[in-house]
Amino acid sequence: MKDRLVTLVGGGGFIGRYVAQALLAAGARVRVAQPDPREAWFLKPLGGLGQTQFVAADVTKPDTIARAVEGARHVVNLAGSFSGDLRRIHVDGARAVAESARASGAESLVHFSAIGADADSPSRYASTKSEGEAAVRAAFPNATILRPATVFGREDRFINRFAGMIAMSPVVPVLRAATRFQPVFVGDVAAAAVAALAMPDRFGDHVYELGGPDVLTLLELHRWIARAIGRDPALPALPDVAGRVIAAFGFLPGAPITADQWKLLQRDTVVAPGAEGLAALGVTPTPLAAVAPGWLVRYRRAGRFAMTTAQA
């Protein structure tokens, strides 16, 4: 990837910053494209002089995407949302990126979807993700589609959200306690994206489901986080009727939840049996316990000077 220009659509987001870091470390030139490029300027120190570029682009405005990918040999689409006009972002936006990548002569395109993408899903998020995949394949047949499970890392809004709730309250109710998750480390997701970009002949026209080595129910995940930060709250599993009411109001104390996210919780977020994943892309999955304690320390009562429950 050395000296090759890569456009990252949505590159200043949580996953995007790690993809950018991996590309910069590999010697690539990175063009970050998003509605407000200033929000991604924190990436500048990660590259050498002239190695990073920043342009204003919005997937709902195809002409801006066409300018953003012009001259790029590789393109990554990281644009996604849980709110707003999901069809414009996940379907029309994905199509705009793929069509622009094809028109510009890009060698490879990596499109980020999600585990659970399903055209028949009652969840608007999952159904539009599936439609977006179809739109990408139609416009750029050799695209690589990555479907990450729930992604965790220092800046995530998943593990950190639960850790914040557990640190603040002696009682933390758990919605859909038996729903299973397979959290995947953001650094592994970034490595997978770079591998797919670099070898389109090998990884193009494939779908990869990216999950970590740990499969935990939501209740087990809460318990793991509690132990990691030295807390011992009550973790009552809420009945579904209570969950539906909470989702209807859109708020669980300490954590907003939408009706669509409630629908997503009805299904496990795990790699499908037989699906190709990180191993096929040459990436060894990182366990949650190998990296999460390093940043979860801030949720302990005395920070890094505290002992975990296991040590006490």
Side-chain angles (χ1 to χ4, degrees), residues 1-239:
M1 298 298 292
K2 186 172 178 58
D3 297 326
R4 297 188 177 192
L5 178 59
V6 184
T7 292
L8 300 184
V9 179
F14 169 46
I15 298 176
R17 69 183 64 194
Y18 284 85
V19 177
Q21 184 173 350
L23 286 168
L24 291 169
R29 294 181 294 130
V30 175
R31 179 186 292 160
V32 179
Q34 57 186 64
D36 186 352
R38 293 172 297 181
E39 296 178 355
W41 283 357
F42 64 87
L43 294 171
K44 286 184 178 182
L46 300 182
L49 183 64
Q51 199 178 359
T52 53
Q53 306 172 16
F54 302 87
V55 297
D58 187 330
V59 293
T60 66
K61 300 175 181 177
D63 57 325
T64 68
I65 296 300
R67 290 194 295 269
V69 305
E70 186 176 358
R73 292 181 66 175
H74 310 278
V75 178
V76 182
N77 181 27
L78 294 134
S81 179
F82 284 101
S83 60
D85 191 336
L86 298 187
R87 172 168 289 279
R88 288 188 68 195
I89 298 169
H90 293 163
V91 185
D92 299 336
R95 182 184 296 110
V97 174
E99 289 179 347
S100 294
R102 181 192 62 197
S104 71
E107 296 176 13
S108 62
L109 168 65
V110 169
H111 173 72
F112 273 82
S113 183
I115 281 183
D118 180 358
D120 296 322
S121 173
S123 162
R124 189 68 171 160
Y125 177 85
S127 63
T128 55
K129 279 292 189 180
S130 177
E131 292 179 59
E133 290 182 7
V136 168
R137 290 193 194 98
F140 201 112
N142 201 45
T144 302
I145 294 174
L146 300 182
R147 293 176 176 172
T150 304
V151 183
F152 70 89
R154 183 176 296 273
E155 306 87 356
D156 73 42
R157 297 181 182 178
F158 182 66
I159 300 296
N160 282 306
R161 172 179 290 177
F162 295 140
M165 294 167 61
I166 291 169
M168 290 172 56
S169 176
V171 180
V172 179
V174 182
L175 292 174
R176 295 291 296 173
T179 298
R180 298 186 303 151
F181 288 81
Q182 192 171 352
V184 59
F185 179 50
V186 66
D188 296 341
V189 174
V194 174
L197 279 178
M199 293 184 280
D201 291 342
R202 179 177 177 184
F203 300 123
D205 192 24
H206 280 69
V207 177
Y208 297 94
E209 298 202 347
L210 312 182
D214 306 307
V215 177
L216 303 166
T217 67
L218 201 49
L219 180 57
E220 289 170 340
L221 182 60
H222 278 69
R223 288 171 175 164
W224 185 91
I225 294 170
R227 289 194 299 271
I229 64 175
R231 309 280 182 159
D232 188 25
L235 298 169
L238 290 181

